[in-house]
Amino acid sequence: MNTRRWFLAGALGVGAAAATGTAVVLTGSTDHPASGSRAGASGSASTTAKAARKEAAEAATRARTRRPSSAPRPGPVPVGAARRQAYRLRPIAGDSALGTPAFHPQVRTQAELTLPGRARAVALTFDDGPDPDFTPKVLAVLRTYRVQATFFVVGENAKAFPRLLHDIAAGGHVVANHSYTHPLLTSLSLGKVKDELGRTSDVIERVLDAPPRWCRAPYGEWDKPSLRVCAGLGMEPIGWSIDTNDWALPGIDSIERAVTRAIEPGSIILQHDGGGDRSQTVEAVSEYLPRLLDKGYEFVRPHV
């Protein structure tokens, strides 16, 4: 009987706690009667039950006084809020969700025609490739003399021969943008310029997993709109200071003289590895490279 009454008192306490929204901690107890009658135990239990009921009634009264029954109860935490809170707990350091900031060069007023920097540093550049016949031959000559160069590729050729882009990059050379179909940019609308340069950058990035940083306009012709497009695509415009005219097939000796007579520190040399028969270019490069290396010239990739 005592046990049943104790549980009844506890149940009343739990009910009152549920009504008030508070938590109840039940602590266990053990009777150790040294002596006394059952009536005394019964009276003690009755007194305990009455006290518990009184305490529950007072708790309910306090709850009604604190918050009217008409007051809205707080609802469950929205799923979106829970997610936002969880997101705030993510460590900021090392979170690469935003990726690497894009490179945004300033808009230039003209292309660079020479290299700044170290004495006797020059740049060797090739346009209009990649070409399946002549690009590998040019790469073989550069590999023989351990010289690095920059290849300004035409987008439609790069798309047709993506493996050659890998070969160029594997040799430590720079792959750069030379438009998609080799038009005169200054004769095109702004949209066409964006298409010509943007499509070529897209091809290069798909093949090499990195966009080009350098661009050469066909025929070296830039204007303000095309220079803005170039900068917007994250590229620097670059021209040349030595034109070998190798595209016109002037002969091996003519190409070689054009380089050796005009070269000076900072020179950017223009030649072609695509767009036609480039066998004269391949032979001329193999002739003048060792001579210029013996004179102390260093062939470098362009840099800002």
Side-chain angles (χ1 to χ4, degrees), residues 92-157:
I92 296 175
D95 186 357
S96 59
L98 296 179
T100 304
F103 174 72
H104 294 293
Q106 69 183 74
V107 179
R108 305 292 183 181
T109 57
Q110 62 181 18
E112 291 292 338
L113 304 180
T114 59
L115 294 177
R118 302 190 300 273
R120 304 190 80 75
V122 296
L124 191 60
T125 69
F126 296 90
D127 287 10
D128 296 356
D131 181 275
D133 293 325
F134 298 106
T135 300
K137 294 177 181 178
V138 170
L139 289 174
V141 174
L142 299 178
R143 187 165 53 249
T144 297
Y145 295 103
R146 299 182 181 180
V147 166
Q148 293 182 329
T150 302
F151 289 78
F152 291 89
V153 302
V154 172
E156 58 184 3
N157 293 341

Side-chain angles (χ1 to χ4, degrees), residues 141 252 255-256 278-288:
V141 174
I252 298 170
I255 297 171
E256 183 179 357
R278 301 302 173 218
S279 56
Q280 291 183 5
T281 301
V282 175
E283 291 296 327
V285 173
S286 63
E287 289 288 336
Y288 70 68

Side-chain angles (χ1 to χ4, degrees), residues 122-206:
V122 296
L124 191 60
T125 69
F126 296 90
D127 287 10
D128 296 356
D131 181 275
D133 293 325
F134 298 106
T135 300
K137 294 177 181 178
V138 170
L139 289 174
V141 174
L142 299 178
R143 187 165 53 249
T144 297
Y145 295 103
R146 299 182 181 180
V147 166
Q148 293 182 329
T150 302
F151 289 78
F152 291 89
V153 302
V154 172
E156 58 184 3
N157 293 341
K159 183 179 179 180
F161 307 108
R163 180 64 188 176
L164 291 177
L165 293 191
H166 284 289
D167 292 343
I168 293 169
H173 311 292
V174 175
V175 176
N177 190 321
H178 195 43
S179 81
Y180 198 81
T181 61
H182 206 277
L184 182 65
L185 296 182
T186 56
S187 69
L188 303 180
S189 66
L190 185 61
K192 289 289 187 181
V193 173
K194 290 180 179 178
D195 183 67
E196 283 285 335
L197 301 185
R199 289 175 69 190
T200 304
S201 288
D202 288 344
V203 170
I204 294 172
E205 185 168 11
R206 282 198 302 269

Side-chain angles (χ1 to χ4, degrees), residues 242 256-263:
I242 297 178
E256 183 179 357
R257 285 195 301 270
V259 174
T260 57
R261 291 181 179 179
I263 195 166

